[in-house]
Every structure is written in C-alpha cells, then in structure tokens.
Amino acid sequence: PTAGAKPLESGRVPVHGIDYSYEIHGQGEPLLLLHGGLGSIEMFGPLLTTLARSRQVIAVDLHGHGRTALGERPIEMSAMGDDLAALLKTLGYGPIDLLGYSMGADVALRLAIQHPESVRRSALVSPAFANDAYYPELMAMQAGVGAAMAVQMKETPMYKSYVSVAPRPEDFPRFLDAMGVLMRKPYDWSAEVAKLAGPIMLVFGDSDMIRPEHMVRFYQLLGGGLRDAGWMREHLSPNRLAILPNLTHYDILDAPELLPTVLPFLNGETMAKRKEGQ
C-alpha cells in the first residue's frame, strides 16, 4: 500500500481506446512514476510518499494494470509510450522527468524515444533495451505466462492486489494472456537508444534479473563508459549508470539507497558530492 497517501487529484484519461487511471501527489517539479509489470501504482509503497515531499508525482496505472482496464488492443511498450505522451498533454504538462521501474522503465524509455519533447530527465530502474537482457531460465519462465496460470496464482499477493483495484477482476486470465504475448515478443531498441540525447540514468541491482553485460552495453549505447572522463570531467557523459550492491530486481524499490541515487540526477545536480574542505 502507499502508506495511506491520499492523492491531491485522481481520475481517468481516455487515450487511444484505453481509459488510463492516474493519481497526482505532492507539489514541486513534475515527475511521472511508472510501475512494473503485473503491478500497479501501489507497487511503489512509501517510496511514492517520500517522492511527493519534494516533487509533484503523476503516477499512472499502465494498460491492463491496476485501475486501468484491459482494452481490446495488445499490451505493447511502443503504444503505451504514445499513450503517455498524449496523457501528459491532456493533463497540461510540458517536458517532465520520468522514474520507471522494470516494465515501467521500458515504457518510459519508449516515451523518451518516441516523444523526446515530452521528457526532461529519465531515471530507469532495471530497464532492458532488448529481450536478451534476461537470463535464459527467466526467459523460459516468461514464455509460459498465460491464462493457464490464473488458477494457481489466486493465492498470490499479485493476484490479490490485482482483484482489489481492477475495474474488471474477471479479466485476470485475459490479462495474463496479453502479458504473455508481450513477454514472448522479440525486440531490440539498440539503434534507437544510441540516438537518445538524454540525460538518462540507468539503475540496477548487482543481482538483478538483467544480465551485467546488458547493463554495461546499455550505458555504452548512451555514450557512457567509452573513455576516461578526464581530470576536469571534461569528457563526462550526461548519462549515468548505478549498480547498487546486494540488491535484486525484486527488492530494489525497497532499498534505502534508491532515492539518494536517483533524486540528485533528477534534480539536475551534475557535480560529484565532496566533503567539506576538499
């Protein structure tokens, strides 16, 4: 749960046939918050409340997730990127900062690729630019996602959280089918990532579901990690890479290190922190 956080505003925005549910929390520079796959806004828990102390957080339930009902079209990253650009325009926001986790990070990446005019800075937690980002055994598990799993998932927190807020709880099997189709679809956005101007921060756990080789390649595609930054930081990339120790894909949102890692970047701080007297 979001620790009892009550939004300043909530509602729905119909976009391209999908009735998106959103909440707005806090005051300050706007920040679009996007949850992971099979989750909802509630996935962020107290993290949302903490962010809202210094930011105006626009949290959205993605297509088929949370309070946003599953439409008749497929669940697709590129389509959701277009949807969110239209949603932000409808709500009256100009260029905005992004914080996305897992599937939400991938949707944020598509938003930055397809609508760079809508994005200022992006912090992407456990993103993937291609489906070979994942370990082979995990890809095999993802390939099996579908309606046949619905019955065995009924005692899981994932199912219980879905039915507690979904407009049509009976859609759960169809939702699993749609997510399975998405997970089995091959993709590679490396050419588009290489054209991004940024600034973008990539954040991973050192024991993430994303392979370390993919993390480094992602950063290199963004222009980072290709040369020494120089004594005066004259060759420093505008983009950032953080690999947080002792964290997995499944607990990184609970890590106390996460916000101190991403907020300075999202706030536009470019210099390294130094102790007094240095």
Side-chain angles (χ1 to χ4, degrees):
T2 52
K6 186 176 181 180
L8 298 175
E9 177 186 331
S10 62
R12 296 182 179 278
V13 177
V15 183
H16 306 142
I18 307 300
D19 198 24
Y20 279 93
S21 177
Y22 74 93
E23 296 179 358
I24 296 178
H25 297 254
Q27 301 288 345
E29 291 291 322
L31 173 67
L32 180 63
L33 191 64
L34 300 175
H35 62 79
L38 303 179
S40 65
I41 293 169
E42 280 76 11
M43 180 175 274
F44 287 101
L47 189 70
L48 189 157
T49 307
T50 305
L51 283 166
R53 291 175 189 156
S54 59
R55 287 294 190 114
Q56 180 164 88
V57 179
I58 303 95
V60 177
D61 280 329
L62 295 171
H63 178 195
H65 293 69
R67 297 160 186 82
T68 300
L70 182 64
E72 296 304 318
R73 71 180 209 208
I75 296 177
E76 294 179 336
M77 304 293 189
S78 297
M80 287 189 283
D82 289 338
D83 293 346
L84 289 172
L87 181 146
L88 290 171
K89 187 174 181 180
T90 298
L91 293 178
Y93 290 100
I96 195 171
D97 294 336
L98 308 178
L99 175 57
Y101 162 68
S102 192
M103 175 179 168
D106 295 345
V107 174
L109 179 60
R110 291 310 314 178
L111 177 58
I113 289 170
Q114 294 161 208
H115 301 275
E117 73 286 352
S118 298
V119 178
R120 190 170 66 164
R121 300 183 189 91
S122 305
L124 309 179
V125 182
S126 297
F129 66 82
N131 61 321
D132 67 356
Y134 307 102
Y135 292 98
E137 63 274 17
L138 191 60
M139 293 178 70
M141 289 174 61
Q142 291 175 338
V145 172
M149 300 173 59
V151 173
Q152 69 191 64
M153 290 184 68
K154 285 199 171 181
E155 296 305 316
T156 66
M158 192 171 293
Y159 173 79
K160 292 176 181 179
S161 65
Y162 177 88
V163 298
S164 69
V165 298
R168 298 194 301 265
E170 65 275 14
D171 277 351
F172 188 67
R174 193 165 70 93
F175 170 59
L176 290 178
D177 267 345
M179 289 297 291
V181 170
L182 174 68
M183 291 178 183
R184 289 187 289 273
K185 186 177 180 180
Y187 66 97
D188 186 339
W189 305 330
S190 54
E192 294 168 292
V193 168
K195 296 176 183 177
L196 283 169
I200 292 172
M201 181 174 218
L202 307 174
V203 185
F204 302 93
D206 64 350
S207 298
D208 212 299
M209 67 163 59
I210 307 296
R211 296 183 298 109
E213 301 94 317
H214 191 86
M215 302 175 192
V216 173
R217 181 58 184 149
F218 205 147
Y219 187 48
Q220 290 174 330
L221 285 170
L222 291 170
L226 300 176
R227 63 182 300 182
D228 176 66
W231 185 258
M232 301 300 294
R233 298 163 65 92
E234 63 270 23
H235 304 304
L236 187 71
S237 169
N239 303 307
R240 301 285 179 265
L241 170 64
I243 301 176
L244 303 181
N246 195 32
L247 292 175
T248 74
H249 189 82
Y250 314 100
D251 57 23
I252 194 168
L253 288 185
D254 299 322
E257 307 97 310
L258 182 59
L259 283 189
T261 298
V262 300
L263 274 179
F265 170 79
L266 290 171
N267 292 338
E269 298 175 23
T270 57
M271 295 303 294
K273 296 287 185 183
R274 301 186 186 278
K275 293 180 182 179
E276 276 188 48
Q278 284 189 328

